[in-house]
Amino acid sequence: MAFDFLVPVADKVLAHCELLPPQAIGRNTHIHTVKDGLPVLANATVAILGVRESRNAFEKKLEKLDVSGIRMQLYKLLLGNWNATLVDLGDIEEGESVDDTYFVVKEIVAELLEENVIPIILGATQDICYPAYRAFDGIKDMINLVAVDSRFDFGIEDELISSHSYMSKIITDKPNNLFNFSNIGYQSYFNAQEEVDLMERLFFDAYRLGDIANNLSLAEPVLRNAHMVGIDVRAIKASEISLSANFSPNGFTGREICAISRYAGISDKVSLFGIYEMENNVQSQQLIAQIIWYFIEGITYRIKESPYTKTDDFTKYTVPTDAEELVFFKSHLTERWWVEVPSIFTSHTKANTPALLPCTGEDYLDACDQNIPERWFKAYKKGFN
């Protein structure tokens, strides 16, 4: 059984927990220990899982990921007003081969998904997104993947999988369960024009760092539609994580990345959350801990709502345009927006029922000005292709 490969949380972390106040996260988490074994998954909301595999790193790692350092920073944070049950499963160490590690990641994540437990993966390198994505095989047909990343990570054709090329493998590998890929925070000078063109051809969504930093709410509908979210910490400014040669002077601030993480938590579709490419220094570990805190905070505020189930809770707006008649819905409760896309047929929609695409109030205003929102157009084209 794949769970047999999990290494318990280090004794120094458990000793650290003993000194924490009763309200600290570490005192309220069910932890995998040598003495007590694995925690029970029943009723768990999230499960923390360290993956220390780094052999496929694009820039070779000089040292192993210090997951214990991240845990100590997370455990000493105080609980919010949460109703979440937290478990910490410990770590997956490097297997005999990288494929062995991938297999264990896939099996453990699949088991958590089956149990409706949200894995929070702390991965040394971002190629761990690939086995995490494969964990959905047989569980969910079509996956929307969102990467918060300065790069698209398509890599070079025929290149072996690495932390800079894992997306190529996700796109081409069978079975192909990827419905949509969205990038939040790409920086143009890190991405070849061919990669930008590929994103356009596949009708994938990409949002530049400057656009998101100027209006963080643009990220909310993207994350609301995601099943799986991965954060490459290299999308964060170098100064925010105590400077490093592998990081850029431009990127998200700590506040911005925590807000994005909270949006991911609020999305009731997100069932897997990963953070990758961390640095082993206290400032980086503190920021990772706070990103996790905000993700769990977001989960606490999840609201399942659909214009098709509780029509009284929504206002419907029909906007005639030259090309199409667009139908928007606005929630009275959360003030979130959706737009109907008649071409998307997914397993969770009723026959002949248009799919609902999360959008913004600005998309509605654009439609009123006869400008069809780009996100609607891409979803519409993808449904027919």
Side-chain angles (χ1 to χ4, degrees), residues 2-10 32 49-55 63-68 71 89-105 108 122 124 128:
F3 280 82
D4 295 338
F5 292 96
L6 286 167
V7 177
V9 172
H32 180 191
L49 177 65
V51 183
R52 302 185 73 206
E53 175 64 70
S54 61
R55 283 172 286 185
E63 54 186 1
K64 290 288 181 192
L65 175 64
D66 180 13
V67 191
S68 292
R71 283 191 171 97
L89 296 178
D91 298 334
I92 299 171
E93 297 287 352
E94 289 185 348
E96 194 169 318
S97 69
V98 179
D99 284 342
D100 291 336
T101 311
Y102 286 176
F103 176 79
V104 174
V105 171
I108 290 175
L122 303 176
I128 301 304

Side-chain angles (χ1 to χ4, degrees), residues 333-361:
L333 186 61
T334 61
E335 299 193 343
R336 297 189 294 188
W337 287 80
W338 287 262
V339 60
E340 285 187 350
V341 184
S343 64
I344 303 178
F345 297 107
T346 54
S347 57
H348 59 270
T349 59
K350 296 173 185 173
N352 302 319
T353 302
L356 287 167
L357 181 70
C359 64
T360 64

Side-chain angles (χ1 to χ4, degrees), residues 21-22 34 55 75 99 186 195 201 320 346 361:
V34 174
R55 283 172 286 185
Y75 283 179
D99 284 342
Y186 81 95
E195 292 183 284
R201 278 203 311 277
T346 54

Side-chain angles (χ1 to χ4, degrees), residues 143-366:
I143 302 301
N144 294 330
L145 165 59
V146 173
V148 181
D149 201 335
S150 58
R151 295 173 169 84
F152 296 138
D153 291 329
F154 291 136
I156 303 163
E157 198 173 349
D158 298 328
E159 179 186 354
L160 291 172
I161 183 171
S162 79
S163 52
H164 273 187
S165 64
Y166 74 94
M167 274 308 304
S168 295
K169 193 157 178 65
I170 286 177
I171 291 169
T172 58
D173 221 37
K174 305 290 185 198
N176 194 322
N177 297 336
L178 184 69
F179 182 73
N180 193 36
F181 169 58
S182 302
N183 170 285
I184 294 175
Y186 81 95
Q187 297 175 40
S188 298
Y189 36 72
F190 289 144
N191 297 280
Q193 187 58 46
E194 290 83 354
E195 292 183 284
V196 179
D197 294 342
L198 180 61
M199 290 288 286
E200 284 292 321
R201 278 203 311 277
L202 296 173
F203 303 109
F204 289 159
D205 304 307
Y207 299 84
R208 292 177 70 159
L209 169 67
D211 293 335
I212 297 291
N214 287 334
N215 183 5
L216 273 175
S217 64
L218 287 175
E220 188 278 325
V222 184
L223 291 160
R224 200 189 332 155
N225 211 31
H227 301 105
M228 172 180 171
V229 177
I231 294 178
D232 185 333
V233 174
R234 292 171 301 187
I236 301 169
K237 286 172 72 168
S239 58
E240 303 287 288
I241 52 94
S242 194
L243 299 174
S244 166
N246 293 329
F247 283 67
S248 168
N250 281 307
F252 288 116
T253 65
R255 177 184 157 276
E256 289 163 353
I257 200 71
C258 286
I260 289 169
S261 177
R262 191 174 188 275
Y263 280 143
I266 289 172
S267 166
D268 61 15
K269 282 188 179 178
V270 171
S271 50
L272 193 156
F273 185 71
I275 309 171
Y276 309 95
E277 306 287 347
M278 286 81 83
E279 294 288 286
N280 289 337
N281 64 64
V282 173
Q283 189 173 329
S284 173
Q285 291 160 350
Q286 287 175 331
L287 182 53
I288 301 308
Q290 290 169 20
I291 290 170
I292 296 168
W293 191 97
Y294 275 101
F295 177 70
I296 300 170
E297 167 93 343
I299 291 172
T300 303
Y301 290 101
R302 285 187 174 186
I303 295 171
K304 279 191 180 290
E305 56 178 355
S306 167
Y308 293 156
T309 52
K310 286 192 174 179
T311 52
D312 292 346
D313 293 343
F314 294 82
T315 300
K316 180 179 178 181
Y317 300 88
T318 304
V319 182
T321 71
D322 295 339
E324 284 281 340
E325 185 174 85
L326 301 187
V327 179
F328 289 85
F329 296 92
K330 182 184 180 183
S331 166
H332 302 160
L333 186 61
T334 61
E335 299 193 343
R336 297 189 294 188
W337 287 80
W338 287 262
V339 60
E340 285 187 350
V341 184
S343 64
I344 303 178
F345 297 107
T346 54
S347 57
H348 59 270
T349 59
K350 296 173 185 173
N352 302 319
T353 302
L356 287 167
L357 181 70
C359 64
T360 64
E362 286 78 9
D363 290 329
Y364 165 70
L365 295 175
D366 284 346

